[in-house]
Amino acid sequence: SQTIHQWPATLVQPVGSPLSLECTVEGTSNPNLYWYRQAAGRGLQLLFYSVGIGQISSEVPQNLSASRPQDRQFILSSKKLLLSDSGFYLCAWSVRGSRSYNSPLHFGNGTRLTVT
Amino acid sequence: DAKTTQPTSMDCAEGRAANLPCNHSTISGNEYVYWYRQIHSQGPQYIIHGLKNNETNEMASLIITEDRKSSTLILPHATLRDTAVYYCIVRVLGAGSYQLTFGKGTKLSVIP
């Protein structure tokens, strides 16, 4: 079965420090990969998605970047964190290919980031 | 994506069926109905989805009305571990359509 791993689960970082959140998927090949952010009491905001190695699409301009160095690895980064980067960050995957139109998203357990 | 309306909260006795309604009166013909749930401090968990026909899997059943303007998620035998916020989402899937708009959902409390 497919599993998705995200780490760390919680992170407290000072303003101006760098960030690296990692996500890996097991049990599937060539997945679509996503980074979402969830603010307290609000819905999910899509930050980045990737349909293949090195292929990253950004949904909103921001202080963050994403990379996909391997097929099942997705990394969220920042060179200098802002207070507004605090939130709950979720990685997700879905099936890619001819059936992707009907494929649900499967989420990791998230990273709760607090920028102080 | 079409907007959805759900009750803010619901209670259900343990062992009974939980029926969670969702209105999506502006749904268009190519939009699917998806249900997710989120237990506090965890990522959303996919439950079920459908287009026109009723669907059933190991977790739940999804009943979609004939006009597709509303649906009901049914948890046949609710347990305490089903206490969570349940989100109903309608979305078009396809190239470039990866946005997933979660509303406020329904907070389901399963009571012993």
Side-chain angles (χ1 to χ4, degrees):
Chain A
S1 64
Q2 301 90 358
T3 55
I4 179 168
H5 303 280
Q6 251 189 275
W7 67 92
T10 60
L11 190 61
V12 180
Q13 292 283 99
V15 168
S17 64
L19 173 74
S20 181
L21 302 181
E22 189 161 344
C23 170
T24 59
V25 180
E26 295 178 358
T28 187
S29 298
N30 307 314
N32 287 335
L33 295 173
Y34 312 80
W35 279 110
Y36 284 86
R37 178 168 56 202
Q38 185 175 34
R42 302 178 70 177
L44 293 177
Q45 179 187 36
L46 178 63
L47 302 176
F48 301 95
Y49 68 90
S50 170
V51 298
I53 295 174
Q55 300 179 62
I56 309 294
S57 296
S58 174
E59 288 293 299
V60 293
Q62 60 203 304
N63 184 44
L64 302 168
S65 62
S67 63
R68 184 170 178 173
Q70 300 181 43
D71 180 47
R72 290 171 289 175
Q73 183 184 28
F74 207 20
I75 298 172
L76 184 69
S77 304
S78 173
K79 292 182 179 178
K80 289 184 179 181
L81 284 169
L82 306 172
L83 286 175
S84 57
D85 291 324
S86 292
F88 190 43
Y89 288 85
L90 290 155
C91 181
W93 73 272
S94 69
V95 169
R96 179 156 59 99
S98 61
R99 294 189 61 191
S100 63
Y101 69 92
N102 198 22
S103 174
L105 270 66
H106 300 278
F107 290 86
N109 275 331
T111 295
R112 190 161 303 280
L113 172 66
T114 303
V115 182
T116 60
Chain B
D1 292 343
K3 190 174 179 179
T4 61
T5 304
Q6 298 177 253
T8 303
S9 63
M10 292 182 65
D11 292 340
C12 178
E14 187 178 16
R16 303 295 296 270
N19 296 276
L20 293 92
C22 179
N23 286 323
H24 31 78
S25 58
T26 60
I27 193 170
S28 58
N30 58 350
E31 288 184 312
Y32 285 74
V33 179
Y34 279 73
W35 282 84
Y36 287 80
R37 71 181 182 185
Q38 189 169 23
I39 297 170
H40 183 61
S41 297
Q42 295 184 21
Q45 179 188 22
Y46 164 75
I47 302 173
I48 199 167
H49 73 283
L51 182 62
K52 296 180 184 177
N53 300 322
N54 298 337
E55 302 288 342
T56 296
N57 63 21
E58 65 277 5
M59 288 184 68
S61 295
L62 174 61
I63 308 299
I64 303 174
T65 57
E66 193 170 341
D67 63 7
R68 303 207 326 120
K69 292 185 177 182
S70 66
S71 60
T72 301
L73 177 74
I74 301 172
L75 307 179
H77 305 286
T79 70
L80 297 179
R81 287 185 291 182
D82 291 323
T83 293
V85 179
Y86 287 76
Y87 297 99
C88 167
I89 300 154
V90 291
R91 63 186 291 234
V92 176
L93 292 176
S97 177
Y98 301 106
Q99 189 59 268
L100 198 66
T101 303
F102 279 47
K104 294 187 177 180
T106 297
K107 181 174 173 52
L108 175 69
S109 298
V110 180
I111 302 167

Coordinates of all heavy atoms in Angstrom, one line a residue, chain A residues 6-14 19-22 35 81 86-90 109-116, chain B residues 40-42:
Chain A
Q6 N 6.0 12.7 6.2 CA 6.4 14.1 6.3 C 7.2 14.3 7.6 O 6.8 13.8 8.6 CB 5.1 15.0 6.4 CG 4.8 15.8 5.2 CD 3.7 16.8 5.4 OE1 2.5 16.4 5.3 NE2 4.0 18.0 5.8
W7 N 8.2 15.1 7.5 CA 8.9 15.5 8.8 C 9.6 16.8 8.7 O 9.9 17.3 7.6 CB 9.9 14.4 9.1 CG 11.1 14.2 8.2 CD1 12.3 14.8 8.3 CD2 11.1 13.4 7.0 NE1 13.1 14.4 7.2 CE2 12.4 13.5 6.5 CE3 10.2 12.5 6.4 CZ2 12.8 12.8 5.3 CZ3 10.5 11.9 5.2 CH2 11.8 12.0 4.7
P8 N 9.8 17.5 9.8 CA 9.4 17.0 11.1 C 7.9 17.3 11.4 O 7.3 17.9 10.6 CB 10.2 17.9 12.1 CG 10.4 19.2 11.3 CD 10.5 18.8 9.8
A9 N 7.4 16.8 12.5 CA 6.0 17.0 12.8 C 5.7 18.4 13.3 O 4.7 19.0 13.0 CB 5.5 16.0 13.8
T10 N 6.6 18.9 14.1 CA 6.6 20.3 14.6 C 7.9 20.9 14.4 O 9.0 20.3 14.5 CB 6.1 20.4 16.0 OG1 7.0 19.6 16.8 CG2 4.7 19.8 16.2
L11 N 7.9 22.3 14.3 CA 9.1 23.0 14.1 C 8.9 24.4 14.6 O 7.9 25.1 14.2 CB 9.5 23.0 12.6 CG 10.9 23.5 12.2 CD1 12.0 22.7 12.9 CD2 11.0 23.5 10.7
V12 N 9.9 24.9 15.4 CA 9.9 26.3 15.8 C 11.2 26.9 15.3 O 12.2 26.4 15.6 CB 9.8 26.4 17.3 CG1 9.8 27.9 17.7 CG2 8.5 25.8 17.8
Q13 N 11.0 28.0 14.5 CA 12.2 28.6 13.8 C 12.1 30.1 14.0 O 11.0 30.7 14.0 CB 12.2 28.3 12.3 CG 12.4 26.9 12.0 CD 13.9 26.5 12.1 OE1 14.3 25.9 13.1 NE2 14.7 26.8 11.1
P14 N 13.3 30.8 14.2 CA 13.3 32.2 14.3 C 13.1 32.9 12.9 O 13.4 32.3 11.9 CB 14.6 32.5 14.9 CG 15.5 31.4 14.5 CD 14.6 30.2 14.4
L19 N 14.5 27.2 6.0 CA 13.5 26.2 6.2 C 13.7 25.0 5.2 O 14.0 25.3 4.0 CB 12.1 26.7 6.1 CG 11.0 25.6 6.2 CD1 10.8 25.1 7.6 CD2 9.7 26.2 5.6
S20 N 13.6 23.8 5.7 CA 13.6 22.7 4.8 C 12.6 21.6 5.3 O 12.9 21.1 6.4 CB 14.9 22.1 4.6 OG 14.9 21.0 3.6
L21 N 11.5 21.4 4.6 CA 10.6 20.4 5.0 C 10.6 19.3 3.9 O 10.6 19.6 2.7 CB 9.1 20.9 5.1 CG 8.9 22.1 6.1 CD1 7.4 22.5 6.1 CD2 9.4 21.7 7.5
E22 N 10.6 18.0 4.4 CA 10.7 17.0 3.4 C 9.5 16.0 3.4 O 8.9 15.8 4.5 CB 12.0 16.2 3.7 CG 12.3 15.2 2.6 CD 13.8 14.7 2.7 OE1 14.6 15.4 3.3 OE2 14.1 13.7 2.0
W35 N 2.3 20.6 -2.2 CA 2.4 21.3 -0.9 C 1.2 22.2 -0.7 O 0.9 23.1 -1.5 CB 3.7 22.1 -0.8 CG 4.9 21.3 -0.5 CD1 6.0 21.0 -1.4 CD2 5.3 20.6 0.7 NE1 6.9 20.2 -0.8 CE2 6.5 20.0 0.5 CE3 4.6 20.5 2.0 CZ2 7.1 19.2 1.5 CZ3 5.3 19.8 3.0 CH2 6.5 19.1 2.7
L81 N 12.8 32.8 6.7 CA 11.4 32.7 7.1 C 10.9 34.1 7.6 O 11.6 34.9 8.2 CB 11.3 31.7 8.3 CG 11.3 30.2 7.8 CD1 11.5 29.3 9.1 CD2 10.1 29.9 7.0
S86 N 4.3 31.1 9.3 CA 3.7 30.1 10.3 C 2.5 29.5 9.8 O 1.6 30.1 9.1 CB 3.4 30.8 11.6 OG 4.6 31.3 12.2
G87 N 2.3 28.2 10.1 CA 1.1 27.5 9.6 C 1.3 26.0 9.7 O 2.4 25.5 10.1
F88 N 0.3 25.3 9.2 CA 0.3 23.8 9.1 C 0.6 23.5 7.7 O -0.3 23.7 6.8 CB -1.0 23.3 9.6 CG -1.1 21.8 9.9 CD1 0.0 21.2 10.5 CD2 -2.2 21.1 9.5 CE1 -0.1 19.8 10.7 CE2 -2.3 19.7 9.7 CZ -1.2 19.1 10.3
Y89 N 1.7 22.8 7.4 CA 2.1 22.5 6.0 C 1.8 21.0 5.7 O 2.3 20.1 6.5 CB 3.6 22.8 5.8 CG 3.8 24.3 5.7 CD1 4.0 25.0 6.9 CD2 3.8 25.0 4.5 CE1 4.2 26.4 6.9 CE2 4.0 26.4 4.5 CZ 4.2 27.1 5.7 OH 4.4 28.4 5.6
L90 N 1.2 20.8 4.6 CA 0.7 19.4 4.3 C 1.3 19.1 2.9 O 1.2 19.8 2.0 CB -0.8 19.4 4.3 CG -1.5 19.4 5.6 CD1 -2.9 19.9 5.5 CD2 -1.4 18.1 6.3
N109 N 0.7 13.7 7.4 CA 0.2 14.2 8.7 C 0.7 15.6 9.0 O 0.3 16.1 10.1 CB 0.6 13.3 9.8 CG -0.4 12.1 10.0 OD1 -1.5 12.3 9.7 ND2 0.1 11.0 10.4
G110 N 1.4 16.2 8.1 CA 1.7 17.7 8.3 C 2.8 18.0 9.2 O 3.3 17.2 10.0
T111 N 3.3 19.3 9.0 CA 4.3 19.9 9.8 C 3.7 21.2 10.4 O 3.3 22.0 9.6 CB 5.6 20.2 9.0 OG1 6.2 19.0 8.6 CG2 6.6 21.0 9.9
R112 N 3.7 21.3 11.7 CA 3.2 22.6 12.3 C 4.4 23.5 12.5 O 5.3 23.2 13.3 CB 2.5 22.3 13.6 CG 1.8 23.6 14.1 CD 0.7 23.2 15.1 NE -0.3 22.3 14.6 CZ -1.3 22.6 13.8 NH1 -1.5 23.9 13.4 NH2 -2.2 21.7 13.4
L113 N 4.5 24.5 11.7 CA 5.6 25.5 11.7 C 5.2 26.7 12.5 O 4.2 27.4 12.2 CB 6.1 25.8 10.3 CG 7.1 26.9 10.2 CD1 8.5 26.5 10.8 CD2 7.3 27.4 8.8
T114 N 6.0 27.1 13.5 CA 5.9 28.4 14.2 C 7.1 29.2 14.0 O 8.2 28.7 14.4 CB 5.6 28.1 15.7 OG1 4.5 27.3 15.9 CG2 5.4 29.4 16.4
V115 N 6.9 30.4 13.4 CA 8.1 31.3 13.2 C 8.0 32.3 14.3 O 7.0 33.0 14.5 CB 8.0 31.9 11.8 CG1 9.2 32.8 11.6 CG2 8.0 30.8 10.7
T116 N 9.1 32.5 15.1 CA 9.0 33.4 16.2 C 9.9 34.6 16.0 O 10.8 34.6 15.1 CB 9.5 32.6 17.5 OG1 10.8 32.2 17.3 CG2 8.6 31.5 17.8
Chain B
H40 N -8.0 16.3 14.6 CA -7.2 17.4 15.1 C -5.7 17.1 15.0 O -5.3 16.1 15.4 CB -7.6 17.7 16.5 CG -6.8 18.9 17.1 ND1 -7.0 20.2 16.6 CD2 -6.0 19.0 18.1 CE1 -6.2 21.0 17.3 NE2 -5.6 20.3 18.2
S41 N -5.0 18.1 14.4 CA -3.6 18.1 14.2 C -3.1 17.0 13.3 O -1.9 16.7 13.3 CB -2.9 17.9 15.6 OG -3.2 19.0 16.5
Q42 N -3.9 16.5 12.5 CA -3.5 15.5 11.4 C -3.8 16.0 10.1 O -4.6 17.0 9.9 CB -4.2 14.2 11.7 CG -3.8 13.5 13.0 CD -4.4 12.1 13.1 OE1 -4.7 11.5 12.1 NE2 -4.4 11.6 14.3

